[in-house]
Amino acid sequence: MIPVQGFDGQRVAVLGLGRSGLATARALRAGGAEALCWDDGAAAREVAAGEGFVVQDPCAEGALEGVAALITSPGIPHLYPKPHRAIAAAWAAGVPVDNDVGLFFRSLALSDWGDLDEPPKVVAVTGSNGKSTTSALIAHVLEAAGRPVQLAGNIGRGVLDIDPPGEGGVVVLELSSYQIDLARALTPDIAVFTNLSPDHLDRHGGMGGYFAAKARLFTMGGPDRAVIGVDEDEGRYLANQLAEGPGDMRLIRVSAQKIAGPGWDLVARKGWLSEMRKGRQVASIDLRQVAGLPGAHNHQNAACAYGVARALGLSPKEIEAGFHSFEGLPHRSQRVAEINGVSFVNDSKATNVDAAVKALGAFTRIRWICGGLEKEGGMSALAPAAGGVVKAYVIGREAAAFALHLGDVPHEVCGDMATAVARAAAEAEPGDTVLLAPAAASFDQYDSFEHRGRDFMEQVARLQG
């Protein structure tokens, strides 16, 4: 646990008592603060009370008097589509609002770090797609090379729930736009931006607000080094803002296009990862042989992870060895089974159009299971990207409406996962891939994308008897 610093002897309100909320309350208590806990769900309040925390509605009259801060969970809206009533109450009372990520960055460094030969470092990864795989891959490569590392944030443990890092330790954080947007302190040593595509637009008031939330990770604290995907305008903008000149080696640019500038560039193209410095290639890795990272989108993730590992002092050979032992993450291009020459792949994490497009590009002869709760940002990119699709099998409560976005792609409205898997398996031929890449959120039928992915895997397991 990371004890929260700066609130010793003070009262701090905690809003939202899920995984991060309870961890925050415990970390506040460990730092000498009194945590006043609240959740709109009665069951969560009972859990907090059972741990001895004071349960108090921050909207009650006088509840915020003498409160030093309100710490909110990332899933609770603080601005768009409208502020939660407790956050609005904090504004009215002049109480600062923060989240666990902000507390983490203000509390991590300890007084004895000055005595360490190699103080700990924090790597923070954000972006629309690939941040989970990139974060996990960074942690895996470091661990395989013998470096002490912890994975936390939007993946792994809560940011305040990790152990205090020691000599040479590295903390790898996956951070969503929700987590970055409200944090009052953001000071990673290395920050990574994978890419940007429309997502969570209702929460951020549009693409501009969404990008602004991501950009705070780079513009607020100023990381010592940045690894930036530059295949979208937003990434190019960030890279330009951070670099002091064309040859600034604190910036590592990542692209799927040919670039050979005067600085430090990583190109993931046609299955190869090339490291370029000052226009010359200094190392390369054949990513086509890395089973846990299939497809061009995962090659971009590998390039981002490579950049971080190189910045932390690892050699290309150490990184390549780590790549080959990486098995991938559940629900992200996860190979579930092969039955009678047909591969079954679970990419339930492809919850938006851009992620689904990248998943489709990783395979040929695809039996595509898609559909769910549509997100803002449009679906126009789906049909053009489906050139390798033999047939689509559409699920979701509004499956028929979703199917309209597929254009001339052959499709069948199945409605539920069991029907879709059964139909795809029955029609698949050896060499085909049955791919779950929904291009939509899961909440019309499931609690989460993990729940949806598990259902897919269970249906595939039934095919095996």
Side-chain angles (χ1 to χ4, degrees), residues 123-442:
V123 177
V125 181
T126 196
S128 296
N129 300 304
K131 58 184 178 292
S132 294
T133 296
T134 299
S135 301
L137 182 57
I138 293 168
H140 174 81
V141 167
L142 291 171
E143 184 176 33
R147 295 286 295 270
V149 61
Q150 298 180 78
L151 181 63
N154 208 40
I155 186 174
R157 300 160 71 181
V159 293
L160 293 170
D161 199 34
I162 67 170
D163 301 323
E167 181 77 45
V170 179
V171 178
V172 181
L173 302 181
E174 180 200 332
L175 297 181
S176 71
S177 57
Y178 291 7
Q179 293 169 303
I180 297 169
D181 198 17
L182 195 60
R184 297 169 72 94
L186 289 165
T187 55
D189 297 282
I190 303 174
V192 181
F193 179 84
T194 59
N195 50 58
L196 196 81
S197 62
D199 208 356
H200 308 304
L201 301 188
D202 58 335
R203 174 66 180 265
H204 297 292
M207 275 296 287
Y210 179 46
F211 174 59
K214 298 284 190 185
R216 291 183 82 244
L217 182 63
F218 303 85
T219 58
M220 262 197 75
D224 295 334
R225 178 156 276 143
V227 180
I228 307 288
V230 295
D231 286 340
E232 293 92 23
D233 283 342
E234 292 85 356
R236 288 187 281 271
Y237 169 85
L238 263 186
N240 183 267
Q241 288 285 299
L242 294 171
E244 293 296 329
D248 191 340
M249 299 296 280
R250 295 173 304 168
L251 171 67
I252 304 175
R253 299 186 302 167
V254 174
S255 179
Q257 312 298 324
K258 284 185 176 180
I259 52 174
W264 193 348
D265 301 322
L266 300 173
V267 178
R269 189 167 181 267
K270 296 184 178 180
W272 284 87
L273 168 57
S274 300
E275 180 183 1
M276 312 291 295
R277 298 205 194 191
K278 299 181 179 180
R280 302 182 65 180
Q281 181 173 302
V282 298
S284 66
I285 296 175
D286 184 356
L287 297 173
R288 297 169 300 177
Q289 307 303 317
V290 181
L293 296 167
H297 61 304
N298 275 316
H299 295 170
Q300 183 202 42
N301 300 335
C304 290
Y306 180 98
V308 170
R310 289 289 276 150
L312 290 173
L314 270 64
S315 70
K317 286 187 176 181
E318 288 178 301
I319 300 169
E320 184 174 8
F323 283 177
H324 279 286
S325 59
F326 182 67
E327 296 182 353
L329 290 177
H331 315 297
R332 299 160 177 87
S333 296
Q334 178 186 10
R335 293 184 178 272
V336 174
E338 181 175 321
I339 304 173
N340 299 324
V342 177
S343 297
F344 292 80
V345 176
N346 168 23
D347 204 331
S348 184
K349 186 61 172 66
T351 59
N352 58 45
V353 171
D354 187 64
V357 167
K358 290 177 178 177
L360 290 171
F363 306 97
T364 59
R365 291 195 53 79
I366 300 167
R367 303 281 175 173
W368 178 26
I369 299 176
C370 58
L373 188 64
E374 293 183 30
K375 293 185 174 181
E376 294 185 38
M379 311 287 286
S380 59
L382 278 182
V389 174
V390 178
K391 185 176 177 179
Y393 304 82
V394 189
I395 63 174
R397 292 180 184 172
E398 303 296 330
F402 188 97
L404 296 176
H405 299 294
L406 301 180
D408 295 331
V409 177
H411 62 268
E412 179 178 337
V413 174
C414 297
D416 60 73
M417 186 70 73
T419 302
V421 171
R423 293 292 300 143
E427 296 182 347
E429 300 176 357
D432 288 358
T433 296
V434 176
L435 171 66
L436 171 64
S442 59

